[in-house]
Amino acid sequence: MLERIHDLFRLRTSPVLFFTSAGIVLTFVVLTLLFQTQMGNFFGDASGWIYEHLGWFYISGVTIFLLFLVFIALSRFGQMRLGADDEKPEHSDISWFGMLFAAGIGTILMFWAVAEPVNHFANPPREGVEGASAEAASEAMGFTLYHFGLHTWTIFCLPALGFAYFIYKRNLPPRVSSIFQPLIGERIHGPMGRTIDVLAIVGTVFGVAVSIGLGTLQINSGLARLFGIGEDALSQILIILVVTVVAMISAILGVNKGIKRLSNLNIWTAILLLLFILVTGPTVHLLRGMIEWTGVYASMLPELAFWNDTLADTGWQNGWTIFYWAWTITWSPFVGIFIARISRGRTVRQFVAGVLGLPTAFTIVWFGIWGTGVFDIESGEDAGLIETVVDEGDIPGAMFEFLGHFPLVTVTSAVAILVVGIFFITSMDSCALVLDNMCNGFEEDAPLHQKAFWAISIGLIAAVLLTATGEGGLAALESVAIVLGLPFFLLGYLIMFNLLRAMREDAGEVGYLRTRRWLRTLPPEEYERRMEESDRSLAHAVVAPDYLEGTQPENAPEVEHTEQPEIVEEYRIRSGEIPVVDPTVPSSEHEDDTPR
């Protein structure tokens, strides 16, 4: 039956993956609309249990992933190229950075650039810190950079590296199940593989839908401030409609014509907005703050990487860190496959350093300037960010409230809306493209209406859950993200196992490391004593440091033999014993280096 429907709509995909994933998503939407309270309670209880019992697992998991990536990059496997051994990168470093950043957390950086620092500044995460103090500012920036720096990009980098290796090194389909090929072999095409792929597709749709919901609220808030547009369901539906249409067109055009151009435009626009804040604000103060917060992040990172709020047990991490990690990992398959697709031809070391290092460096600069600006505003007479963002809960309007303290507020607010919108579009169109590839099992051009379907579906789900069910719908979606995050964390450990196993299989185990063997060196007086005692160990002893001829490894540089003192030459002439070794015999088989 699925095959008939597939052929009827002239699709070219896997009917099981496509229709099963679509059916699960549609079923969730219908159940949420019909049973809002029951669905909310179910996922709320499940997410609450995870918060209480497995928060430590989420915190430690991301740190373990990060340490694994650093190990892989610094190991001999770091030289392996993601593709053919002689393949070169397809995209320039600038274009590569723009695409991975825009498809990753570009929208979220815009949403939280002001909102997170001001929240933590007003309500410090850890006990004993006074709100709105200098110490609170340091804590706020340390936690903010922890949330959006190395750890967030670790969640994207690990699956991305797995995808890049198995898709371009082993030429497997662009699916999550391909990463499990060393473990399950050809069963990646069977029920087990399909289950993994359906879970990844559904989790990705929900994870991206949360981002789209947040982006819609922020765009709506900005338009309300600029043009007096109402912050209601109709406005939000229209925003999602416009973004979905543009994203659908971009997805149809593909990576090079659509996503790449939008990403390059957006990253430069975001940089210009950042430079405007830097130039028109207290420039020196902002630069000093950015440098200081870099040090704060570096000093707090080792502690925060394992911090679980064990003693105070305030529950703060549930609403921030644990939610971030669980939510982010639900859409890491889409970001991972997209990053893999634009990274072909790079070495593993270049890949890890680029995906972890470049966005983190930009994040430090980005939040360093916005965050310092927040503290500067709150220290002056014209304060009001805490009141608006924290007390009144206007998180979507945080950036626009911030821009109101700078010149050309109308222009900068319009630019901010544009940047959020394009980040929003690039996330949706790249997600639609990746979802289509995951269902198809190949990266070649597929029917255009397939790509359009995923963009329309994501926009439709976001619109229904954000507007038809009000705040409860978005809260339910966030709870689902928490629940779906758990199996994705488990998959992360399996990704590490399979990736390391595949690299060892393809690169081969490290062989026996042969080294030059050196003779035992004795002081002249001890050598002379042993000569008088007729000690046969002198056959492999010298006074001037020297090595055994025949033990040097292949292709080793030549090392001149040292001329020995007369006493050594005298012993060798008298005994007729010159130290030699058969290089084909292991050193352990030489009988304590003494000839017979």
Side-chain angles (χ1 to χ4, degrees):
M1 180 179 176
L2 293 180
E3 289 285 352
R4 293 180 182 177
I5 300 175
H6 173 275
D7 296 340
L8 178 64
F9 288 100
R10 297 184 179 180
L11 303 176
R12 188 179 178 184
T13 184
S14 167
V16 175
L17 291 184
F18 185 89
F19 292 115
T20 302
S21 302
I24 292 174
V25 170
L26 181 60
T27 300
F28 175 82
V29 172
V30 172
L31 291 177
T32 302
L33 290 173
L34 294 178
F35 307 103
Q36 296 180 32
T37 303
Q38 293 87 338
M39 289 291 288
N41 291 339
F42 173 79
F43 285 104
D45 292 342
S47 62
W49 186 89
I50 291 175
Y51 279 139
E52 183 178 354
H53 295 92
L54 294 176
W56 61 271
F57 180 70
Y58 285 54
I59 299 296
S60 60
V62 182
T63 299
I64 291 172
F65 298 163
L66 174 58
L67 295 176
F68 173 80
L69 288 170
V70 173
F71 160 73
I72 285 293
L74 296 179
S75 72
R76 65 191 181 102
F77 301 124
Q79 304 174 54
M80 298 176 72
R81 195 165 292 276
L82 301 172
D85 291 340
D86 58 350
E87 196 164 351
K88 300 300 180 184
E90 181 180 359
H91 305 285
S92 68
D93 291 341
I94 295 295
S95 295
W96 182 57
F97 169 61
M99 286 190 287
L100 70 88
F101 191 84
I105 58 173
T107 306
I108 309 307
L109 288 189
M110 290 295 293
F111 190 88
W112 292 108
V114 174
E116 177 144 354
V118 75
N119 266 283
H120 300 336
F121 182 58
N123 300 308
R126 296 192 285 194
E127 289 188 337
V129 179
E130 182 183 353
S133 64
E135 187 179 0
S138 293
E139 287 265 308
M141 291 309 301
F143 274 93
T144 298
L145 293 174
Y146 168 53
H147 287 155
F148 295 100
L150 286 172
H151 279 69
T152 283
W153 284 95
T154 290
I155 294 174
F156 295 140
C157 188
L158 178 62
L161 180 60
F163 289 131
Y165 189 88
F166 286 99
I167 294 173
Y168 298 122
K169 199 70 178 176
R170 290 203 168 183
N171 288 315
L172 297 176
R175 290 174 173 167
V176 177
S177 57
S178 293
I179 296 178
F180 295 83
Q181 181 264 337
L183 195 62
I184 64 176
E186 70 278 0
R187 285 178 291 173
I188 59 174
H189 302 302
M192 186 180 297
R194 293 193 187 103
T195 301
I196 294 171
D197 291 326
V198 168
L199 174 64
I201 293 169
V202 173
T204 298
V205 170
F206 286 132
V208 175
V210 174
S211 297
I212 290 173
L214 293 175
T216 300
L217 292 174
Q218 189 174 30
I219 293 174
N220 196 183
S221 178
L223 292 175
R225 290 169 182 266
L226 283 180
F227 306 110
I229 294 175
E231 297 185 61
D232 50 31
L234 178 60
S235 299
Q236 292 165 8
I237 289 174
L238 290 175
I239 291 169
I240 292 176
L241 177 62
V242 171
V243 171
T244 301
V245 170
V246 178
M248 181 176 62
I249 295 172
S250 178
I252 290 173
L253 291 175
V255 173
N256 290 321
K257 294 182 179 179
I259 297 172
K260 184 175 181 178
R261 292 175 181 175
L262 282 175
S263 299
N264 288 337
L265 169 66
N266 212 35
I267 196 66
W268 286 113
T269 306
I271 291 174
L272 289 175
L273 180 62
L274 186 71
L275 290 175
F276 176 83
I277 299 299
L278 180 62
V279 172
T280 59
T283 306
V284 175
H285 183 66
L286 296 178
L287 291 174
R288 289 174 60 191
M290 180 187 69
I291 299 300
E292 183 170 339
W293 310 140
T294 304
V296 168
Y297 174 51
S299 64
M300 291 180 66
L301 182 61
E303 180 185 1
L304 294 183
F306 299 96
W307 183 66
N308 274 283
D309 196 18
T310 305
L311 299 180
D313 196 21
T314 62
W316 178 89
Q317 278 190 315
N318 293 346
W320 291 95
T321 309
I322 296 173
F323 169 70
Y324 275 158
W325 295 169
W327 165 33
T328 304
I329 206 168
T330 57
W331 47 299
S332 62
F334 124 68
V335 179
I337 288 184
F338 181 77
I339 292 176
R341 180 168 184 175
I342 63 176
S343 303
R344 182 170 186 166
R346 298 182 184 274
T347 65
V348 170
R349 188 168 296 137
Q350 290 171 340
F351 181 90
V352 173
V355 175
L356 291 182
L358 291 176
T360 298
F362 185 86
T363 297
I364 291 173
V365 174
W366 180 267
F367 278 105
I369 292 176
W370 289 96
T372 307
V374 166
F375 308 143
D376 180 68
I377 291 172
E378 282 302 308
S379 65
E381 297 179 358
D382 196 22
L385 285 174
I386 291 179
E387 180 182 354
T388 302
V389 179
V390 182
D391 297 341
E392 298 177 8
D394 187 14
I395 292 179
M399 174 169 285
F400 303 105
E401 179 69 23
F402 176 90
L403 293 174
H405 295 269
F406 289 81
L408 304 175
V409 59
T410 302
V411 175
T412 55
S413 295
V415 171
I417 292 172
L418 177 65
V419 172
V420 172
I422 297 179
F423 273 137
F424 192 1
I425 291 166
T426 52
S427 292
M428 185 184 286
D429 61 9
S430 53
C431 181
L433 195 63
V434 166
L435 289 172
D436 190 49
N437 289 339
M438 288 173 68
C439 282
N440 303 344
F442 58 86
E443 293 184 334
E444 289 81 8
D445 287 338
L448 300 182
H449 56 284
Q450 273 185 207
K451 299 177 184 178
F453 168 80
W454 289 109
I456 294 171
S457 297
I458 295 170
L460 179 62
I461 293 168
V464 170
L465 291 173
L466 186 62
T467 62
T469 60
E471 295 182 0
L474 187 57
L477 191 58
E478 292 175 352
S479 296
V480 172
I482 294 294
V483 176
L484 286 177
L486 181 58
F488 277 98
F489 267 100
L490 297 174
L491 291 179
Y493 286 94
L494 293 173
I495 290 174
M496 291 191 294
F497 172 81
N498 286 295
L499 186 59
L500 191 57
R501 177 172 172 176
M503 286 180 167
R504 283 176 172 168
E505 289 175 352
D506 293 344
E509 295 289 350
V510 176
Y512 171 72
L513 187 61
R514 185 179 171 191
T515 59
R516 195 186 304 267
R517 291 175 57 203
W518 288 73
L519 297 161
R520 184 181 185 187
T521 301
L522 294 172
E525 57 274 14
E526 180 62 23
Y527 194 96
E528 188 172 354
R529 287 192 204 101
R530 296 192 183 196
M531 276 186 64
E532 295 173 356
E533 297 170 356
S534 299
D535 188 343
R536 298 196 63 186
S537 68
L538 290 183
H540 286 270
V542 290
V543 171
D546 197 9
Y547 65 92
L548 267 173
E549 183 64 37
T551 64
Q552 55 268 35
E554 186 180 358
N555 299 322
E558 291 296 329
V559 175
E560 294 289 337
H561 285 283
T562 307
E563 184 177 349
Q564 297 294 328
E566 291 183 4
I567 190 173
V568 176
E569 298 298 333
E570 179 185 342
Y571 172 81
R572 290 178 176 177
I573 292 173
R574 184 194 307 174
S575 64
E577 296 174 342
I578 300 176
V580 294
V581 67
D582 183 352
T584 64
V585 178
S587 60
S588 60
E589 295 186 17
H590 290 281
E591 298 185 44
D592 56 52
D593 294 330
T594 303
R596 301 298 181 191

